[in-house]
Amino acid sequence: MNAAKRLEIFRRLHEDNPEPKTELAYTTPFELLIAVILSAQATDVGVNKATARLYPVANTPEAIYALGVDGLSEYIKTIGLYNSKAKNVIETCRLLIELHGSEVPQTREALEALPGVGRKTANVVLNTAFRQPTMAVDTHIFRVSNRTGLAPGKNVLEVERQLLKFVPKQYLLDSHHWLILLGRYVCQARRPRCGSCRIEDLCDYKHKTSDD
């Protein structure tokens, strides 16, 4: 795929959705961090239902840490893997309190040192909360990047590096959200909805589908 096609892809995505947002509900960087930790192998809708109960009661490192693993588990038990996630969140809160003055750090290295925070989670927080031009590659972005020919790669790190290299700079900050939404609702795993896709004519996928 050439640079002109990539530019037109993101021009259209921007035109259709000038200010894309994450579908996770949050009001502070800390709330976002916890929501992203909880979202591993879970849906944003499921996470939002749990945090809608949790955050009115506890939405700071101190308040969640005070709940303890058992107390936190009661709020998030509708989410998959909630036991291990509760342990990670409580330990993350402890480290935020002890090492970071209860603030969410703004570097990938410091974020990845927190339990339950991998490279993808760190990139989401850096991009969404702190508006850094990072690229969090999830299953949707990995699929879209390879299927369309936008930024093919054999693994998520390769795709991340390709996207950072090839996405036009003026669109990089919001491209993570556009690609997730495209993969979640249009370029779906089992059968892409090519007939409804805004960039169908620019996509290199050889097995285009209709929406019939």
Side-chain angles (χ1 to χ4, degrees):
M1 182 176 288
N2 60 41
K5 270 191 176 183
R6 291 191 183 97
L7 182 63
E8 178 61 14
I9 283 172
F10 285 101
R11 188 199 67 77
R12 291 183 192 179
L13 295 175
H14 172 266
E15 182 179 66
D16 290 352
N17 187 3
E19 296 182 359
K21 307 292 184 188
T22 178
E23 294 186 321
L24 288 170
Y26 76 99
T27 58
T28 66
F30 174 72
E31 288 186 358
L32 177 65
L33 172 63
I34 300 308
V36 179
I37 293 174
L38 296 177
S39 71
Q41 299 180 50
T43 66
D44 288 358
V45 172
V47 171
N48 288 342
K49 286 180 180 178
T51 56
R53 296 189 298 271
L54 172 65
Y55 288 161
V57 176
N59 69 339
T60 64
E62 291 83 359
I64 291 182
Y65 185 69
L67 291 174
V69 172
D70 291 341
L72 176 58
S73 293
E74 285 301 308
Y75 289 97
I76 66 170
K77 61 186 178 184
T78 54
I79 299 174
L81 307 174
Y82 73 91
N83 278 320
S84 61
K85 289 178 181 178
K87 292 174 184 175
N88 284 337
V89 167
I90 292 299
E91 182 62 8
T92 284
C93 289
R94 183 184 71 80
L95 292 174
L96 290 177
I97 294 165
E98 293 182 2
L99 301 179
H100 301 287
S102 299
E103 297 292 326
V104 177
Q106 298 189 35
T107 67
R108 181 183 288 109
E109 294 74 20
L111 284 166
E112 287 188 21
L114 300 171
V117 178
R119 187 179 182 88
K120 183 185 77 173
T121 298
N123 281 337
V124 170
V125 173
L126 292 173
N127 178 261
T128 304
F130 300 123
R131 303 300 284 159
Q132 295 184 24
T134 59
M135 182 62 65
V137 179
D138 68 351
T139 56
H140 297 302
I141 292 181
F142 184 79
R143 178 175 65 255
V144 168
S145 297
N146 277 286
R147 185 184 274 166
T148 62
L150 178 67
K154 296 177 181 177
N155 55 58
V156 292
L157 187 56
E158 200 172 306
V159 168
E160 178 186 330
R161 288 172 176 162
Q162 292 281 82
L163 286 168
L164 290 173
K165 178 181 178 181
F166 289 130
V167 173
K169 292 295 182 283
Q170 66 266 43
Y171 297 119
L172 184 57
L173 202 57
D174 290 319
S175 58
H176 159 254
H177 295 303
W178 287 319
L179 294 176
I180 281 182
L181 293 170
L182 185 65
R184 184 173 289 166
Y185 297 111
V186 181
C187 196
Q188 296 170 332
R190 291 186 179 180
R191 188 173 188 272
R193 300 175 55 235
C194 299
S196 297
C197 183
R198 186 75 162 84
I199 62 167
E200 179 188 10
D201 58 313
L202 302 168
C203 168
D204 291 343
Y205 185 53
K206 292 182 173 60
H207 308 289
K208 299 282 175 67
T209 67
S210 68
D211 288 352
D212 297 333

